[in-house]
Amino acid sequence: MDQSVAIQETLAEGEYCVIAVQGVLCEGDSRQSRLLGLVRYRLEHGSQEHALFLYTHRRMAITGDDVSLDQIVPVSRDFTLEEVSPDGELYILGSDVTIQLDTAELSLVFQLPFGSQTRMFLHEVARACPGFDPTTRDPEFLWLSRYRCAEPELELPTPRGCNSAPGTWPGYATIGGGGSNFDGLRPNGKGLPVDQSSRGQDKPESLQPRQNKSKSEITGMVRSSTITVSDKAHILSMQKFGLRDTIVKSHLVQKEEDYTYIQNFRFFVGTYNVNGQSPKECLRPWLSDGVQAPDVYCVGFQELDLSKEAFFFHDTPKEEEWFKAVSEGLHPDAKYAKVKLIRLVGIMLLLYVKQEHAAYVSEVEAETVGTGIMGRMGNKGGVAIRFQFHNTSICVVNSHLAAHIEEYERRNQDYKDICSRMQFCQLDPSRPPLTISKHDVILWLGDLNYRIEELDVEKVKKLIEEKDFQTLYAYDQLKIQVAAKTVFEGFTEGELTFQPTYKYDTGSDDWDTSEKCRAPAWCDRILWKGKNITQLSYQSHMALKTSDHKPVSSVFNIGVRVVNDELYRKTLEEIVRSLDKMENANIPSVSLSKREFCFQNVKYMQLKVESFTIHNGQVPCHFEFINKPDEESYCKQWLNANPSRGFLLPDSDIEIELELFVNKTTATKLNSGEDKIEDILVLHLDRGKDYFLSVSGNYLPSCFGSPIHTLCYMREPILDLPLETISELTLMPIRTGDDGSQLESPMEIPKELWMMVDYLYRNAIQQEDLFQQPGLRSEFEHVRDCLDTGMIDNLSASNHSVAEALLLFLESLPEPVICYSAYHNCLECSGNYTASKQVISTLPTFYRNVFHYLMAFLQELLKNSAKNHLDENILASIFGSLLLRNPAGHQKLDMTEKKKAQEFIHQFLCNPL
């Protein structure tokens, strides 16, 4: 996900976030997550200045509300950025990148995730450095003075002249360096020949990296590695792949069997839901007892931290605690290197390899997908690491799906969301992102949360006591859903010969004795997909009693394709010879199966897809959708082409999907008629001609994305009104109605809002986890249709689906309930309830009515907190960012002021209205 969008919302006019990357700030033994943004400012005379903005952040940074400015580092002449690595440490191509940032006033060390985003970030920072030219004046950074005034605690280094550390050129980011120790014909990943000409560029001695610096390690047993400096210099400077390289790579993939052989490696896969506990016992009974030393470890956790801080903020000390516990529990007969750690709130995945295999691990990427409420919260979802091991692509997924026995459809939806939204960038930027399914081997582990159905608790326990697992397995929801081909199609799971792993009384082997008395279930599972995979074991580990779950492990022999260098060279030479004959081939041309696309009856947040096929002629070609003149993107915001670029061999085909999706960003202008479902796409062939595709359709207006005052004047359902009326009402000024308008008498609040709140008041006042557990997408679409057609009597959905629809409705409002103009006044009077009520009294009538109506409803929920487990802090956190939003284009407030915004809402939940 591009988190630069969140940073951009915090910047002032004239400031632009070029690129952002999420990393970890390392200070001694402390590890704190930071979002790093490279911000550009254009000066009046046309030149530019840059600064690094460092943010603390909540969850994955999606909007400006999720980040808080922590520090600013101007990219001045004394600014340097270089890769560092501990002395004697093992290097792995594809592990986290450790960089050191130095100026005359400060020195910071960060760990950044290996991958295309970090590569581009470092490249852009290097480009931003002002360089050394005595004839040009020093950057002054006057535009940063506003931050120095607004944020007195920020220490802005004073821009200096050309004073810099010995052995470096001031202002240059010394990233990587040196020649390569790789043979020019050695395959990189899937056999891409490395172009030696792109590596051996001469550099001034002063641009070479400085001496490696040591850093404190969490544990001495496992070495956290960075990329080999020699190869990283090539990777970071790699320009867009040439056509010839792409053709060679494609042919090598086709001929892979000619130069590779299968070799078995032992993989350990483990999953453990730790119920928010810290490690209290040695993990060796789970990770290493009774098994040969694995070649690869894939270790996943769920519910790493159950605190509200972990839910609403990113950092947790539990990450370091469990990382250390795993590192100390690895097999004692081998030395391992950590390749990657990825975490989303409480879902964490660790990847280790034996040291001797490190050189054969490459193309490491990690991604996360949250499937919690509104698709944002990471309390449920998945994390994944993909990598190339020798010549085999492997993807490891750790997921925590929706809870509760009746929510199997929600679990199915979570699985599908993870599969569709988990995408990994490729080294070749012209190639489309990789999905989970595009790997040779997929290992899927986690707390999948599927339960035993149709049997009562005592019957389940009786079958377990008799060890009649086969009979019990017949009632397993995952087995039933896989048989129905709704989830995990094509995956395999080993036989369940161990008793269910959930739910136990913590610290014992006794089944749940709490009031809820959960029925035992096989929640924790491991599945796989791919060829040449043999499962050697699949078991639970009863010895560990820290959690109410038991850990599960599986050991596999996986056949990996290993390159025979001699055969590889021969294959490569044959391909290159054949390419030499094609160098002067004709201009490429393609044929398209379809050029006109009509999307009928498009609805809010409902994906529509049209597809077509590109058939290539006899000349290999790159294709890409390109921007039209004076436009920033190749298509409008509601449209996307997948893939938007790629490569075609002669006489080959590729299917392109045009995906249309209207969300909060685009709905308002479609409602008003300022935008229409109309666009022209330009498909460009490298060295060839352009092809034009026409997109048309119609959008069904929705209450989602409509302003509050507009909806108050719509006494009829929005879909029963003429488009002209909808357009007129949507474009109506916000204060209309407060000035004696002669329009038809409006309602006090939008009827759609009343419908949702009334439904929840009647059905969900005691619903556990309300506004915290997501609903079903199909049910949201049903709620939306009922609201837009006025067919409220037909509304039939789960409480969670209606609650999520309410949050999405509030999020979609183009002007929030507390209008932008009142935002700063609200912050200033936070903590003073009398003054806060006065600010609310100044809101336009309809907005004030909605605010009071929502607060009254939330107070009713809090009266039932013993049943629904809601409290004022949870509701203030959830509704604070929806009702009180920062005005677009204004500087984002720091964490202290962000808490003031939540405190403002908190006052109205705790006091009489």
Side-chain angles (χ1 to χ4, degrees):
M1 176 175 289
D2 183 7
Q3 298 184 80
S4 63
V5 176
I7 293 179
Q8 188 63 47
E9 291 185 13
T10 73
L11 302 179
E13 184 177 354
E15 299 169 3
Y16 175 70
C17 182
V18 179
I19 191 169
V21 66
Q22 185 174 317
V24 176
L25 175 62
C26 305
E27 296 178 319
D29 291 332
S30 170
R31 300 290 187 271
Q32 299 179 38
S33 184
R34 289 291 186 274
L35 187 61
L36 288 72
L38 177 64
V39 176
R40 179 182 70 213
Y41 183 78
R42 291 190 184 277
L43 303 173
E44 291 183 359
H45 50 79
S47 61
Q48 302 174 1
E49 292 181 352
H50 294 79
L52 276 185
F53 281 45
L54 311 180
Y55 293 83
T56 57
H57 57 104
R58 297 166 50 179
R59 309 182 294 269
M60 177 69 73
I62 298 173
T63 70
D65 290 326
D66 296 327
V67 298
S68 182
L69 185 62
D70 177 62
Q71 195 168 9
I72 298 175
V73 183
V75 181
S76 55
R77 292 198 190 279
D78 62 4
F79 176 100
T80 62
L81 190 70
E82 64 178 354
E83 181 196 4
V84 295
S85 54
D87 295 329
E89 188 172 274
L90 177 69
Y91 296 108
I92 295 184
L93 179 61
S95 62
D96 291 346
V97 181
T98 302
I99 62 167
Q100 177 153 326
L101 185 160
D102 286 311
T103 69
E105 284 80 14
L106 59 80
S107 179
L108 301 174
V109 175
F110 295 92
Q111 281 189 341
L112 305 182
F114 175 77
S116 55
Q117 187 71 7
T118 292
R119 188 168 62 251
M120 283 301 300
F121 176 81
L122 297 175
H123 176 67
E124 291 293 343
V125 171
R127 289 179 55 195
C129 292
F132 178 67
D133 184 352
T135 63
T136 61
R137 67 180 184 182
D138 294 339
E140 297 177 332
F141 300 106
L142 298 178
W143 57 284
L144 293 178
S145 60
R146 57 188 299 274
Y147 296 98
R148 192 181 287 114
C149 295
E151 310 277 357
E153 73 279 7
L154 294 180
E155 294 185 8
L156 272 173
T158 304
R160 298 170 64 93
C162 304
N163 301 324
S164 61
T168 63
W169 276 13
Y172 273 86
T174 52
I175 304 170
S180 171
N181 58 1
F182 279 68
D183 187 286
L185 295 177
R186 184 169 183 82
N188 182 1
K190 280 281 188 182
L192 176 65
V194 176
D195 182 2
Q196 292 280 11
S197 64
S198 66
R199 297 189 180 196
Q201 300 173 357
D202 292 334
K203 300 181 181 179
E205 184 179 348
S206 57
L207 289 184
Q208 299 299 331
R210 301 191 303 209
Q211 291 291 321
N212 289 337
K213 298 176 177 62
S214 61
K215 64 181 179 184
S216 60
E217 291 295 303
I218 294 175
T219 173
M221 178 183 300
V222 179
R223 304 187 176 190
S224 177
S225 310
T226 55
I227 305 172
T228 51
V229 176
S230 57
D231 203 285
K232 187 180 177 195
H234 162 64
I235 291 174
L236 294 180
S237 64
M238 191 184 303
Q239 301 299 314
K240 184 174 180 179
F241 281 46
L243 177 62
R244 186 181 179 91
D245 285 345
T246 308
I247 297 172
V248 170
K249 181 175 181 178
S250 300
H251 280 293
L252 284 169
V253 171
Q254 290 182 334
K255 296 177 177 290
E256 184 181 45
E257 293 187 2
D258 293 349
Y259 59 86
T260 61
Y261 60 92
I262 300 295
Q263 180 177 333
N264 282 330
F265 293 88
R266 185 158 298 200
F267 281 63
F268 176 98
V269 181
T271 178
Y272 194 6
N273 181 319
V274 296
N275 191 33
Q277 303 297 309
S278 294
K280 301 172 183 175
E281 51 197 346
C282 177
L283 299 184
R284 281 195 175 174
W286 170 39
L287 298 174
S288 55
D289 284 0
V291 298
Q292 295 181 21
D295 298 293
V296 179
Y297 270 102
C298 313
V299 183
F301 294 94
Q302 307 83 40
E303 295 191 357
L304 204 72
D305 193 331
L306 295 176
S307 68
K308 298 303 178 191
E309 290 76 16
F311 184 69
F312 290 109
F313 301 89
H314 188 76
D315 290 326
T316 170
K318 300 290 180 64
E319 175 182 311
E320 186 171 320
E321 293 173 5
W322 282 101
F323 167 63
K324 182 177 180 181
V326 171
S327 301
E328 293 172 348
L330 300 180
H331 206 290
D333 293 344
K335 291 186 177 181
Y336 292 91
K338 186 199 81 176
V339 176
K340 195 71 177 175
L341 181 156
I342 181 73
R343 181 176 61 81
L344 174 68
V345 186
I347 310 169
M348 184 168 79
L349 180 61
L350 287 157
L351 176 67
Y352 301 83
V353 298
K354 281 184 177 178
Q355 288 190 5
E356 58 263 35
H357 301 320
Y360 302 99
V361 175
S362 63
E363 298 183 33
V364 180
E365 296 276 356
E367 290 293 344
T368 66
V369 169
T371 60
I373 190 77
M374 301 171 71
R376 289 179 59 171
M377 298 298 189
N379 56 318
K380 294 294 187 291
V383 300
I385 301 172
R386 65 90 51 205
F387 60 102
Q388 200 82 8
F389 189 36
H390 289 274
N391 236 46
T392 294
S393 61
I394 299 172
C395 184
V396 186
V397 185
N398 174 22
S399 66
H400 190 191
L401 308 185
H404 306 302
I405 186 169
E406 70 278 3
E407 295 289 347
Y408 68 89
E409 287 185 274
R410 176 70 226 187
R411 289 187 274 280
N412 295 350
Q413 180 176 301
D414 286 350
Y415 164 79
K416 292 172 183 175
D417 283 348
I418 293 169
C419 289
S420 63
R421 291 166 51 198
M422 191 77 75
Q423 297 189 338
F424 308 93
C425 294
Q426 298 199 65
L427 283 176
D428 180 350
S430 71
R431 305 287 291 174
L434 287 172
T435 58
I436 293 172
S437 62
K438 300 294 185 182
H439 290 82
D440 300 323
V441 172
I442 305 169
L443 302 171
W444 197 303
L445 58 114
D447 179 0
L448 306 186
N449 250 325
Y450 288 94
R451 310 300 174 90
I452 305 295
E453 61 184 24
E454 297 184 19
L455 298 179
D456 60 40
V457 176
E458 294 308 315
K459 179 63 174 176
V460 172
K461 291 180 179 178
K462 185 173 185 297
L463 290 171
I464 294 170
E465 187 177 345
E466 296 170 352
K467 297 193 181 300
D468 190 357
F469 300 138
Q470 188 172 359
T471 300
L472 189 62
Y473 182 56
Y475 298 93
D476 176 69
Q477 286 181 337
L478 180 57
K479 175 186 182 299
I480 294 168
Q481 295 303 308
V482 170
K485 297 186 176 180
T486 56
V487 290
F488 290 103
E489 191 167 0
F491 280 81
T492 304
E493 183 182 22
E495 182 182 356
L496 294 173
T497 60
F498 51 90
Q499 69 184 48
T501 55
Y502 175 84
K503 178 181 184 181
Y504 296 87
D505 287 340
T506 302
S508 74
D509 294 334
D510 300 327
W511 297 115
D512 180 25
T513 59
S514 69
E515 181 182 348
K516 293 182 179 179
C517 193
R518 304 277 195 194
W522 285 294
C523 290
D524 310 282
R525 312 289 274 267
I526 297 171
L527 300 92
W528 75 90
K529 187 177 185 179
K531 297 179 180 179
N532 304 312
I533 303 175
T534 303
Q535 188 177 53
L536 303 179
S537 67
Y538 190 23
Q539 58 185 321
S540 66
H541 299 267
M542 299 294 291
L544 273 67
K545 307 180 193 302
T546 297
S547 173
D548 56 354
H549 290 248
K550 298 297 182 183
V552 172
S553 71
S554 182
V555 178
F556 297 94
N557 263 347
I558 298 181
V560 171
R561 289 202 168 272
V562 178
V563 173
N564 179 305
D565 287 339
E566 184 178 349
L567 293 177
Y568 172 80
R569 283 187 173 84
K570 289 181 179 179
T571 304
L572 179 62
E573 288 169 2
E574 292 173 3
I575 293 172
V576 171
R577 278 197 298 269
S578 66
L579 281 181
D580 288 341
K581 300 176 183 178
M582 298 173 58
E583 285 297 319
N584 298 317
N586 297 323
I587 296 175
S589 65
V590 300
S591 60
L592 310 182
S593 64
K594 191 176 180 181
R595 297 197 191 192
E596 295 182 358
F597 305 88
C598 185
F599 293 86
Q600 294 286 350
N601 299 328
V602 176
K603 296 181 179 182
Y604 183 79
M605 283 187 68
Q606 186 165 323
L607 180 66
K608 289 250 183 183
V609 179
E610 293 277 345
S611 62
F612 69 98
T613 301
I614 304 176
H615 177 77
N616 192 25
Q618 299 306 307
V619 180
C621 71
H622 278 297
F623 69 86
E624 181 176 7
F625 288 97
I626 61 172
N627 299 0
K628 299 180 285 294
D630 302 322
E631 295 193 7
E632 295 181 354
S633 176
Y634 68 85
C635 65
K636 291 188 176 180
Q637 281 185 285
W638 38 258
L639 190 62
N640 182 57
N642 186 25
S644 62
R645 56 190 177 187
F647 170 76
L648 284 168
L649 287 170
D651 200 32
S652 63
D653 299 300
I654 189 170
E655 184 178 57
I656 307 294
E657 290 187 337
L658 298 182
E659 302 166 338
L660 198 157
F661 188 75
V662 176
N663 59 17
K664 63 179 181 179
T665 306
T666 53
T668 304
K669 287 191 175 181
L670 288 168
N671 277 342
S672 68
E674 295 172 277
D675 191 12
K676 295 182 179 179
I677 306 295
E678 294 176 357
D679 203 0
I680 300 291
L681 302 185
V682 182
L683 180 66
H684 173 73
L685 300 187
D686 191 18
R687 300 183 301 115
K689 67 175 186 176
D690 294 338
Y691 298 78
F692 297 90
L693 288 73
S694 170
V695 175
S696 62
N698 69 296
Y699 179 68
L700 297 180
S702 174
C703 63
F704 290 86
S706 296
I708 287 176
H709 61 285
T710 296
L711 294 173
C712 286
Y713 279 100
M714 291 183 180
R715 303 190 70 88
E716 300 298 322
I718 192 169
L719 288 179
D720 288 351
L721 296 173
L723 294 178
E724 296 79 6
T725 301
I726 297 172
S727 176
E728 178 185 349
L729 292 175
T730 304
L731 295 172
M732 183 173 59
I734 191 172
R735 287 282 174 177
T736 302
D738 288 6
D739 56 5
S741 171
Q742 299 302 309
L743 290 171
E744 182 181 355
S745 177
M747 297 170 287
E748 292 187 356
I749 63 172
K751 59 187 179 302
E752 296 84 359
L753 175 65
W754 173 85
M755 291 175 184
M756 289 184 284
V757 171
D758 180 67
Y759 184 96
L760 294 172
Y761 181 76
R762 288 185 289 106
N763 298 285
I765 205 76
Q766 296 183 349
Q767 176 68 58
E768 187 177 351
D769 294 332
L770 195 69
F771 297 119
Q772 296 175 81
Q773 181 173 322
L776 290 170
R777 184 171 297 111
S778 59
E779 291 187 346
F780 164 75
E781 293 171 358
H782 169 70
V783 173
R784 177 204 60 212
D785 291 346
C786 288
L787 298 177
D788 290 340
T789 59
M791 306 291 286
I792 190 62
D793 293 338
N794 295 339
L795 181 57
S796 176
S798 72
N799 294 334
H800 294 301
S801 294
V802 178
E804 185 170 23
L806 174 59
L807 298 181
L808 290 169
F809 173 82
L810 296 173
E811 184 186 47
S812 74
L813 294 172
E815 183 85 16
V817 174
I818 300 176
C819 299
Y820 287 127
S821 59
Y823 180 74
H824 292 290
N825 289 337
C826 291
L827 296 181
E828 289 171 5
C829 65
S830 179
N832 183 336
Y833 187 49
T834 302
S836 297
K837 288 196 294 184
Q838 178 61 34
V839 173
I840 294 299
S841 70
T842 65
L843 295 177
T845 303
F846 306 126
Y847 291 76
R848 183 172 66 248
N849 292 345
V850 168
F851 179 81
H852 284 138
Y853 182 66
L854 287 171
M855 291 301 105
F857 168 59
L858 296 181
Q859 285 190 359
E860 289 298 315
L861 285 177
L862 290 172
K863 292 177 184 178
N864 292 269
S865 59
K867 292 286 187 180
N868 58 36
H869 299 156
L870 291 171
D871 62 39
E872 296 90 344
N873 293 326
I874 294 174
L875 292 179
S877 295
I878 294 171
F879 282 86
S881 61
L882 296 173
L883 305 182
L884 194 61
R885 289 189 234 146
N886 186 49
H890 286 223
Q891 169 60 30
K892 186 66 197 79
L893 304 177
D894 64 16
M895 188 60 71
T896 301
E897 292 172 315
K898 186 177 295 183
K899 289 180 179 177
K900 284 185 180 180
Q902 293 184 5
E903 184 182 350
F904 182 87
I905 301 299
H906 192 276
Q907 300 171 109
F908 290 89
L909 299 176
C910 301
N911 294 293
L913 296 174

